[in-house]
Each structure stands twice: as structure tokens, then as C-alpha cells.
Amino acid sequence: MNAAASPFHAGELAIQERVGVREQMAGAAAFIRDHMPAQHREFFQSLPFFFLGALDAAGQPWATMLAADAGFIVSPDARTLDFNGGMLPGDPLQGQLHAGAHVGGLGLEPTTRRRNRVNGEIVSTDNGVLRIAITQSFGNCPQYIQHRQHSPAPDDGHAVQVLRAGKLSDADRALIARADTFFIASANMASDAGRGRGVDVSHRGGRPGFVRVDDDQTLTSPEFVGNYFFNTMGNLLTSPRAGLLFIDFESGDMLHLAVEAEIIWDGPQLQAFVGAEKLLRFHVREVVRNVGALPFRWTAPQPAMQVARTGNWTEADSVQSAAALVKGWRSFAVADVVRESDGVRSFYLEPADGAGVAPHVPGQFISLRVPAWADEGVAPQIRSYTISDAPNGRQYRISVKRDGVVSAWLHQHLAPGALVELMGPGGEFTFEEGTQRPVVMLSAGIGITPMIAMLNGLLVNGSRTRHKHPIWFVHGARSRSEHAFAAHLDALAAGHNNLHLHTRYSSQDGHIDMVMLKELLPFDDYDFYLCGPAAFMQAMYDGLRKLNVADARIRFEAFGPASLRRDAGRVAKQAVTEPASGPVEIRFERSGVDATWDGKHSSLLELAEASGVEAPSGCRSGLCGSCAAGLAGGDVSYTRSCGTEPEAGQVLLCSVVPRAGSGALTLAL
């Protein structure tokens, strides 16, 4: 898009480019009009309050609320809004609104969660009527708006008290700490900002505690998934000054803050806060509190549905602290058990040790340590299970198919209140952030679990998507009754136009194969994600490679028995520092088996399994430590940084290969 013709200025376009949505947002420019549709005009005229952003004489943005009787806003034509009063005593914008000044406006109705935006320029203030010429008009979705009903404030005869300070008081900090809503004004008045030049005011909502008071002059707030216009973020990128408005809906206080903002793009705090795309840190420069200024009071809020999958700072701090605990075994309690299909149950696990849940990325897994149960003659076992949901900051969910001794024990013994030990999360099978390619997810059976977690992380809030390109999800199951999460997937596909859902039931149509994929997928350059039984994954991998799909474009779940043999080119790419370049003789001492390492296996664990040696394993990624084995002779090289440190004289079979020059190896297996 030509920046001069765009309604977005350079700062907004830069952030759209950074997060990979600029091309898609070019089409959204059509929704930003230079006039108000009839329904917007009618909506504004029905409101008894209106949110406004403007600059003071020093160029500082302020956010405020104009309030009066319904009808104080009039739209004489599609490009004009008139405000007959509404400015409250002590407002920091008193005396600052004059002809030629730019303003941003937001009409919001909490009871219907409806909101519409206008930006423009003041053309006159004659006879106390503020007339605004509209330059931009567009609707906003109802995300994060809390339902509240207003009523007239009691007339107690008290004059409004205005408190001014350079930092937050204890009362200010308490109001912000419990807030579920605030408003932010920002501006870009640069001469080269084109059609995007002006002031903006926006709404922010979340669970109580979503804004953290770091100290008496610093706040930190998350930025959740929005409309991808990035009006506020784009303004702050070019001009960091902003104005915040917090409202005490019970007392009618208005807390105005003049701040400077910084954008936090990454880091542990961002990773720990569920739902946050970025963080904004606000440095407070001036505080104006109008005590009891508003002529309204509001009922208790009914939270917006979108906030349920977002965090607050209490949880985020707990998650961040728990990140240091991923390498040790911890006690978790079963909070709930849900049947997902014939043979599959989901177990919701919450910390029982008083600490938080460590952060995870959709697609990662945890390892469970199942105790021995003597009456059934079973020794202690370690098994790894994918976390089958996106992070929520409070619990993990694993979804287990009853297929084997350990899974049968979980189905039989894990009821709400039961305790289990787990380690992690870990694993590298995650969605490639920022990819601009369409995606194909291929799964079979219980291999659906990482795909569900990824989809739940990408497709949010009813219709929003963090991946703007097509997602093709192809899943195989025996039958509908054995298809876990079928109803959930149907709901996702109904709400997200970029999700294309295809299922094949083997009892009716046979298995997923390359013929089906070639018929289904349009010609394009895809990223592929695989998870399922070993034979399925190998067939998909081999078939894609024969179609000249680059090895680097094929990702797969790497733990459990469904290990996959990559082609020789990939093995060479994964060669580590100082691996053995020639044949190495391997002696599995306890089993009495001799084998030769020739570089065709990715680890000594794979060589042991291929040689018929019974070798313990769990996560297969160096996290759980269950594959530790004694090294009686020779030396090894690690292929990755592992989350578990084996005991002296032991190595983690899943993560080692013979080291160059080590000579023959002897393993105590």
C-alpha cells in the first residue's frame, strides 16, 4: 500500500509489517471512512457519555469522558458531530479545546458492548458547542468490553474535588490495581503522517489486575489481540506521550494520567502473561484525580468472554517464578476430568505445591511420573504427554488415549483431587512464529493434541487469528466416536475463515495418504506439521519429501515411540560439534548386543531400539531423564542442551552420539 494513500501512518504500517499483517490490512483500509454511516450517527446521538482524546497546549495527550444527558451529541450531517457541553469540572482538557485542534472520539455502550470510533478536527466552539469535522470513522468489535449498567449519581451536594500530583497516591494505585478497564489517548502530529495524522482514543479491558502498578510512577499493561490497525501502538512508536483514564465506577472518580510509554516486544514478563501480544510500560508524569466528578454510577461488571483466556499480573508473576522449576518433579492435583471421545480423556492439572504453572508454548509437553502399583506388578513409569491447550496461566491440560498400561492406570486412578508428579514443560514442536506461509497440520489418532493446542493459541476470541494465512487441518481417526475434540474443531472452523478442516475416518474412507493431500491442497508453498503413530508420520514425511517439500518445512512431534527417520540430508544438517565421522563399534553390555554407529540414526537411543535393545525413554528431548544409561567406555557428544543433568557416569541416550576419536563405546544396557 502506498503510504500517502493509506489511512495508516508510517508508525502503524511499521507495526503491521513487524507482526506480518500489513498486506492483509491493506484491504481493511476500506473500513476507515471519511464520513459516519447513518447507524453510527444514530448511535452517537443516543449516548449520555463519550470518550475523547486531545492534546493540551504543551502537546500532551489526555483521555477523558464527556458526560451529560442523552442527546447532548448531535450529528447535523455525515461529517459533523456537535457536543453541547459535557466537559466536567477539573478536567485537564478544560480550556484546551479550540478550533484547529485534533481530537479522537470513542462512543461506547457497555450494556451492548457496542463501540464506534471517530477522529477529526475541531472547527468551532461557538456558544459552548464543540463542533468536530470527521476525518476518520470506523466501527470496533466488542472485544474486552465489560457489561455495565449506568444510573444517575446521587446528588449529595458536594463540589467536585480536584487532586493534582506528580505521582500516584495510595488511592490511585488501589484503583488501578483493581481496574478491568481503561482508556488511552495518543497522537501522531507529524507533518508526514498523511491521512493518519491526528489524535486517537482507545479502550482497553481485561481481568482485574491486568494493569500492574510497578511503583508510584510506573505501570505495565498487556496488549491483547485486537483489530490489527495498531492505532495506539503506531502512535506510540512515533510519539511516546499518552494519556490514560481510569474510572472508579462505584464512586464516580476520574483518574487522568499523563504518561510516556515504551513498547516491550519480548522477554519473560511477556511470555508469562497469558494472551499478551506485547506489553506497554507507562511512566507517569502528571496525575489529575477528579473526585466524584461523574454524574453516573455503574453496576458490577459482567466480564467480556474474551478475558477468560487472558491473565493478570498475580498469575503472570507466579508463572514467571515457576519457570525456574521446569527441571524438577512437582506435585500437581487433578482439577477435572473430561471425556473427549471413546477412549480419550482430558485431565486438568493444577499446582499442588503453592507455586504457579511454568509457561509453555502450544505444542510442548510435560512428563508424568506414575508411581508403582504393586498389586498389578507394575514398576514406576515416566511418560510424556502433550499439553493439549494453549496457556491459561492457571493449569495444564493433557488428553490421554487409553492405550497401554500407563494410560489405562491414568484413566482408572486419576479423578479430581488425585495427585501426580510432573516435570516440564519442554519440547521443540511448536508453531513457527511470524511465518508468512499457509500451514498444513496433519495428525492421526491422539496425535491431534499438539494441533489442538496450536489452533487454540492461534484462533482466538471467536473470530480473531494470530496467523492471517490459511490453515489446513487434516486429521485421521477410526470413526466419529473416536474423534477427540470434533465439536470443538467444528466451532473453530465456523468462526475462522482461514481454518479449513478435513477429517478422514479409516473405518469408512481409509487412511490419509498423499493422493488425498494432492487433491485437497491448492498449489502453494506450505509449512507442514505432523503428529501421530509412527507409520503415519513416516508415510507423510516420505511422501512430502518425494513431492520436493523442503525438509526444513516439515516439523513433527519428537517424543514418544513415533520417532521419525529423516533423510540423509537432514542428518548431515543436524551433525553436532565433533561427532564421529566414521563407523564406531557400540557394545550394549547387559543385553550382549554389538552394533555399529554409522550416522544413520539421530541418537544412541534410536540405534539401541533399531538393534533390538530394550532402552528406557520418555520425552526423547533431554528433559525427563528417563533414558539415562551408564557409559562404561568411550565418549559421546550431546546434540542439544538438555533439561536434565544425568548422574556421574551416565548419559542421556536420546541426546548423544559418539564423539569423534572416542573409539568403541560400551553402554550399560
Side-chain angles (χ1 to χ4, degrees):
M1 182 188 297
N2 185 316
S6 172
F8 303 116
H9 59 66
E12 294 162 332
L13 293 172
I15 296 183
Q16 292 173 11
E17 181 75 30
R18 177 165 182 158
V19 301
V21 298
R22 180 168 174 175
E23 181 180 347
Q24 289 74 25
M25 294 309 296
F31 295 98
I32 302 178
R33 308 175 181 88
D34 62 357
H35 65 281
M36 297 173 289
Q39 58 177 322
H40 289 199
R41 298 172 64 197
E42 295 169 1
F43 174 66
F44 292 140
Q45 292 178 131
S46 71
L47 297 174
F49 48 81
F50 188 86
F51 297 93
L52 194 74
L55 308 181
D56 65 15
Q60 171 64 50
W62 293 92
T64 193
M65 177 196 280
L66 306 180
D69 294 330
F72 85 108
I73 305 173
V74 176
S75 176
D77 59 61
R79 288 182 167 84
T80 308
L81 279 181
D82 288 344
F83 295 84
N84 188 8
M87 183 71 72
L88 301 174
D91 194 298
L93 287 175
Q94 267 194 331
Q96 305 293 321
L97 303 180
H98 53 80
H102 287 260
V103 296
L106 170 64
L108 188 149
E109 190 173 58
T111 52
T112 61
R113 295 189 168 98
R114 183 181 177 188
R115 60 177 163 180
N116 291 307
R117 300 260 291 278
V118 289
N119 296 332
E121 184 177 339
I122 299 173
V123 294
S124 68
T125 58
D126 299 341
N127 301 316
V129 176
L130 185 71
R131 171 158 288 190
I132 299 174
I134 303 304
T135 56
Q136 289 190 344
S137 169
F138 52 98
N140 265 180
C141 64
Q143 290 190 115
Y144 313 112
I145 297 175
Q146 325 294 2
H147 176 285
R148 283 183 166 91
Q149 177 64 59
H150 72 278
S151 59
D155 185 4
D156 55 13
H158 289 96
V160 174
Q161 182 183 12
V162 182
L163 306 176
R164 299 179 182 272
K167 60 183 181 180
L168 300 169
S169 68
D170 289 345
D172 298 336
R173 297 174 67 162
L175 170 58
I176 295 168
R178 66 175 182 271
D180 58 26
T181 300
F182 74 93
F183 299 85
I184 179 169
S186 59
N188 182 353
M189 302 306 299
S191 59
D192 61 354
R195 292 175 58 200
R197 184 172 184 264
V199 180
D200 173 82
V201 66
S202 296
H203 164 276
R204 295 292 185 270
R207 295 168 58 207
F210 82 114
V211 182
R212 185 176 66 190
V213 182
D214 301 301
D215 55 48
D216 58 13
Q217 288 193 294
T218 313
L219 310 175
T220 304
S221 175
E223 286 285 288
F224 300 136
V225 173
N227 56 20
Y228 296 111
F229 286 9
F230 295 117
N231 302 127
T232 299
M233 295 277 291
N235 286 346
L236 297 179
L237 191 66
T238 58
S239 179
R241 290 200 290 181
L244 309 183
L245 171 65
F246 291 87
I247 297 172
D248 190 323
F249 293 101
E250 295 181 5
S251 71
D253 287 10
M254 292 205 299
L255 179 63
H256 307 270
L257 306 180
V259 302
E260 288 192 16
E262 59 175 310
I263 302 171
I264 300 174
W265 296 98
D266 50 35
Q269 288 185 336
L270 177 62
Q271 185 183 12
F273 200 109
V274 174
E277 303 283 292
K278 291 157 286 289
L279 300 177
L280 291 179
R281 182 152 292 147
F282 301 113
H283 303 281
V284 177
R285 300 293 181 250
E286 188 176 353
V287 180
V288 178
R289 184 166 185 145
N290 288 0
V291 180
L294 286 171
F296 307 110
R297 300 294 182 268
W298 280 264
T299 57
Q302 298 176 23
M305 67 175 184
Q306 295 86 7
V307 305
R309 295 190 70 88
T310 64
N312 61 34
W313 281 107
T314 298
E315 294 170 355
D317 290 344
S318 179
V319 167
Q320 197 170 342
S321 298
L325 306 176
V326 297
K327 297 180 181 179
W329 292 101
R330 298 177 55 198
S331 179
F332 273 64
V334 178
D336 197 9
V337 180
V338 175
R339 180 185 180 276
E340 304 292 359
S341 69
D342 289 353
V344 176
R345 292 183 183 178
S346 285
F347 301 94
Y348 292 78
L349 308 175
E350 296 180 349
D353 57 6
V357 296
H360 79 276
V361 179
Q364 290 187 310
F365 60 87
I366 54 177
S367 296
L368 263 63
R369 184 160 65 184
V370 178
W373 51 105
D375 56 328
E376 299 177 43
V378 179
Q381 303 279 334
I382 294 174
R383 291 291 186 273
S384 296
Y385 298 99
T386 299
I387 303 170
S388 61
D389 201 356
N392 65 19
R394 300 178 290 279
Q395 60 187 194
Y396 300 128
R397 183 181 75 179
I398 60 172
S399 302
V400 180
K401 179 182 179 181
R402 185 165 185 156
D403 183 20
V405 174
V406 175
S407 62
W409 186 90
L410 296 177
H411 276 241
Q412 181 179 349
H413 294 279
L414 288 195
L419 297 178
V420 293
E421 286 187 303
L422 66 82
M423 180 189 291
E428 300 173 357
F429 183 57
T430 58
F431 192 83
E432 182 183 350
E433 186 176 349
T435 179
Q436 300 298 298
R437 290 182 290 271
V439 166
V440 181
M441 296 180 176
L442 301 172
S443 66
I446 199 60
I448 197 172
T449 53
M451 309 307 185
I452 289 292
M454 292 181 193
L455 289 174
N456 286 352
L458 294 171
L459 308 176
V460 297
N461 297 357
S463 62
R464 298 292 179 189
T465 176
R466 290 188 171 101
H467 184 69
K468 302 290 284 187
H469 305 274
I471 301 172
W472 299 80
F473 181 43
V474 183
H475 179 68
R478 282 197 186 93
S479 63
R480 176 76 179 188
S481 67
E482 296 185 56
H483 184 183
F485 304 107
H488 176 67
L489 285 166
D490 290 341
L492 284 179
H496 295 85
N497 293 331
N498 67 322
L499 175 61
H500 306 281
L501 190 63
H502 296 271
T503 304
R504 173 168 283 190
Y505 297 129
S506 60
S507 60
Q508 303 172 12
D509 306 311
H511 296 285
I512 298 170
D513 54 27
M514 301 311 297
V515 173
M516 172 190 176
L517 292 184
K518 287 190 287 186
E519 292 176 349
L520 176 66
L521 299 176
F523 180 80
D524 212 333
D525 187 17
Y526 298 99
D527 287 338
F528 289 87
Y529 294 78
L530 313 180
C531 189
F536 165 80
M537 291 176 63
Q538 195 68 59
M540 292 296 99
Y541 175 81
D542 292 342
L544 293 172
R545 292 294 287 126
K546 288 177 182 178
L547 293 176
N548 292 320
V549 176
D551 187 273
R553 298 284 177 84
I554 307 173
R555 294 168 174 250
F556 59 88
E557 178 59 273
F559 74 86
S563 57
L564 184 152
R565 299 184 307 277
R566 288 194 182 270
D567 58 29
R570 180 66 176 192
V571 172
K573 289 179 183 178
Q574 288 190 333
V576 298
T577 304
E578 298 182 4
S581 58
V584 177
E585 297 305 314
I586 311 294
R587 173 71 175 174
F588 296 103
E589 194 171 43
R590 188 182 309 128
S591 304
V593 174
D594 293 314
T596 300
W597 171 269
D598 57 9
K600 293 182 179 179
H601 300 283
S602 64
S603 69
L604 288 176
L605 175 61
E606 285 195 5
L607 176 64
E609 293 171 336
S611 303
V613 175
E614 186 175 342
S617 67
C619 67
R620 305 182 78 95
S621 65
L623 179 69
C624 70
S626 61
C627 66
L631 179 64
D635 200 2
V636 297
S637 175
Y638 274 85
T639 62
R640 59 165 66 89
S641 177
C642 298
T644 296
E645 183 73 25
E647 296 181 6
Q650 291 189 329
V651 296
L652 300 180
L653 292 177
C654 73
S655 303
V656 293
V657 296
R659 183 181 291 275
S662 68
L665 291 180
T666 301
L667 293 164
L669 283 177

